[in-house]
Amino acid sequence: MKTKIVVSVAVLAAAAASAGLLHFAHLHPMQEAAAAPAPAPPVPIVAGTATQHDVPIYLTGVGTVIAYNTDIVRAQIQGQIISINFTEGQPVHAGDLLAQIDPRPYQALIDQYTANLERDQAQLVNARTNQSRYSQLGAKGWATPQLVETQNAQVSQLQAAVKADQALIDAAKVQLSFTRLTSPIDGVVGIRQIDVGNIISPSNTNGLCVVTQLDPISLIFTLPETVLPQIQQQQRKTKTPLSVLAYNQDNTIRLGEGQLGLVNNEILQTTGSIQLKANFANKENSLWPGELVNARLLLDTRRNGLTVPASAVQQGPNGPYAYVINSDDTVSLRQIKIAKISDGQALIDSGLKANEQVVVDGQYNLRPGTHVALLHGNAAEEAAAQDALQAPIP
């Protein structure tokens, strides 16, 4: 009886041990599996490619358009305006009649001086006839020398009077020509400053109107004085005028392309800048006097330059860098050297190679070695828009 009890207890103990061992064998791997961290999901990013092509290098400044020539049409004589022969804003050519001053007083002067000339010419003819007669009589001793000399002096006096009369006529004709107010240049007429029936004179500072020449047209813009040596070096190198592009204020419309005509002969000490002047053909009147525009001076062209989207460039304690996408969909941090950033593109001097992919959006979630998932199409656009909303205001 006791033997049966001992056997039963031993069997139960063995069963319990087996059950405990089995439970431990199954439970321990499950606990280890639960304790192991899950791998991080790949970070969604937008990628760009480093491309190689010819890259223009611009110096950008702000400038004001000015007319190539500006003339205020003023009267040189006084008189009443009897006609206006232009419409405000009308294109005109040099010599076109703009207004007419009453010519009658000046024509009357010409008539008067002409009559004086004819009188003096008639007296001169008579004096010369007497001079010839007295000279013959004097040669025969029938006229005194004094009489002959007096007649010679009278001829000379009348000759001078004829010349004076002719000079007065010429001056009066000039005055008469001033009654026609004409355009001195090809251009566009501005606002009329005086109306028909009013008296105009040289003392009227506003004149009749302003005529501005729009084709060609000029642009004066400023650049920092630090770029002056680069401009001078490029001018000596090319020996040709540098190109200048003009854009509207938000850089969405190209208004024209011209040539650099002048680097001013002094630096503005108050602003530390240099003034430059460019001239543009303006057939379509895209540029208008007084307009504020953005000017781009084409300094040079980098042949086979390497560019990436400007958003790929990040700033760190060691300078600019970019995240490069590796073949295993991880990223590595690459220090780069930037030549210039313009129009949303960064020109790379060193640190990247052609056709390498770089992260252009989503960098704030990245570390070297992070796995990434490339977004395309609408997903990439939405990610870029969301990132722009979260980006701090500079």
Side-chain angles (χ1 to χ4, degrees), residues 87-110:
T87 303
E88 294 171 324
Q90 170 188 341
V92 294
H93 298 286
D96 286 354
L97 180 65
L98 302 180
Q100 177 70 57
I101 297 175
D102 188 359
R104 292 175 298 176
Y106 301 96
Q107 183 61 54
L109 280 177
I110 293 177

Side-chain angles (χ1 to χ4, degrees), residues 49-53 304-308 334 348 351-357:
T49 304
T51 58
Q52 201 167 26
H53 55 93
N304 295 320
L306 189 66
T307 62
V308 295
R334 189 86 59 81
I348 306 300
L352 293 175
K353 297 179 182 179
N355 300 322
E356 282 189 314
Q357 284 192 310

Side-chain angles (χ1 to χ4, degrees), residues 137-148:
L137 293 175
K140 297 179 180 180
W142 295 343
T144 64
Q146 182 181 0
L147 184 60
V148 174

Side-chain angles (χ1 to χ4, degrees), residues 223-230 267-269 271-274:
L223 292 174
E225 62 176 313
T226 53
V227 303
L228 180 58
Q230 302 177 44
I267 293 173
L268 300 177
Q269 297 297 323
T271 59
S273 58
I274 185 72

Side-chain angles (χ1 to χ4, degrees), residues 22-288:
L22 181 63
H23 175 72
F24 179 77
H26 285 80
L27 182 61
H28 184 66
M30 293 176 63
Q31 291 176 342
E32 287 184 348
V43 176
I45 56 95
V46 179
T49 304
T51 58
Q52 201 167 26
H53 55 93
D54 292 346
V55 181
I57 299 176
Y58 293 105
L59 299 176
T60 304
V62 178
T64 303
V65 180
I66 62 171
Y68 195 78
N69 285 304
T70 300
D71 287 296
I72 300 177
V73 181
R74 291 192 177 97
Q76 300 185 64
I77 58 172
Q78 180 172 318
Q80 183 183 35
I81 295 180
I82 61 174
S83 68
I84 298 291
N85 302 82
F86 70 91
T87 303
E88 294 171 324
Q90 170 188 341
V92 294
H93 298 286
D96 286 354
L97 180 65
L98 302 180
Q100 177 70 57
I101 297 175
D102 188 359
R104 292 175 298 176
Y106 301 96
Q107 183 61 54
L109 280 177
I110 293 177
D111 295 341
Q112 178 183 347
Y113 296 148
T114 301
N116 292 340
L117 173 63
E118 292 174 352
R119 179 199 61 197
D120 292 338
Q121 285 177 335
Q123 291 179 352
L124 177 59
V125 170
N126 183 57
R128 282 176 174 169
T129 302
N130 292 333
Q131 179 189 33
S132 176
R133 183 181 304 113
Y134 290 148
S135 296
Q136 294 176 2
L137 293 175
K140 297 179 180 180
W142 295 343
T144 64
Q146 182 181 0
L147 184 60
V148 174
E149 292 173 0
T150 299
Q151 193 61 39
N152 291 338
Q154 187 177 8
V155 170
S156 299
Q157 181 180 357
L158 289 173
Q159 286 176 336
V162 168
K163 290 181 180 180
D165 292 338
Q166 186 61 54
L168 289 173
I169 291 173
D170 293 340
K173 287 182 177 179
V174 172
Q175 295 292 306
L176 179 63
S177 69
F178 290 159
T179 62
R180 291 173 51 89
L181 299 181
T182 60
S183 174
I185 57 173
D186 293 347
V188 175
V189 182
I191 298 173
R192 186 178 71 248
Q193 301 295 328
I194 194 168
D195 298 324
V196 173
N198 288 288
I199 301 298
I200 192 171
S201 69
S203 61
N204 295 125
T205 56
N206 292 331
L208 173 68
C209 61
V210 176
V211 180
T212 55
Q213 185 175 357
L214 303 182
D215 182 22
I217 203 167
S218 298
L219 169 65
I220 293 181
F221 61 101
T222 57
L223 292 174
E225 62 176 313
T226 53
V227 303
L228 180 58
Q230 302 177 44
I231 297 174
Q232 294 173 328
Q233 181 180 4
Q234 191 66 16
Q235 286 178 322
R236 288 191 295 266
K237 177 181 176 182
T238 61
K239 299 186 184 304
T240 56
L242 302 181
S243 296
V244 178
L245 304 180
Y247 286 81
N248 63 340
Q249 294 187 44
D250 56 4
N251 290 317
T252 57
I253 301 175
R254 177 172 164 175
L255 302 176
E257 179 176 355
Q259 293 183 332
L260 182 65
L262 168 69
V263 177
N264 204 10
N265 56 4
E266 62 178 354
I267 293 173
L268 300 177
Q269 297 297 323
T270 55
T271 59
S273 58
I274 185 72
Q275 285 186 316
L276 303 98
K277 183 178 181 181
N279 299 317
F280 293 76
N282 195 34
K283 299 295 183 184
E284 298 179 355
N285 292 337
S286 301
L287 295 168
W288 205 256

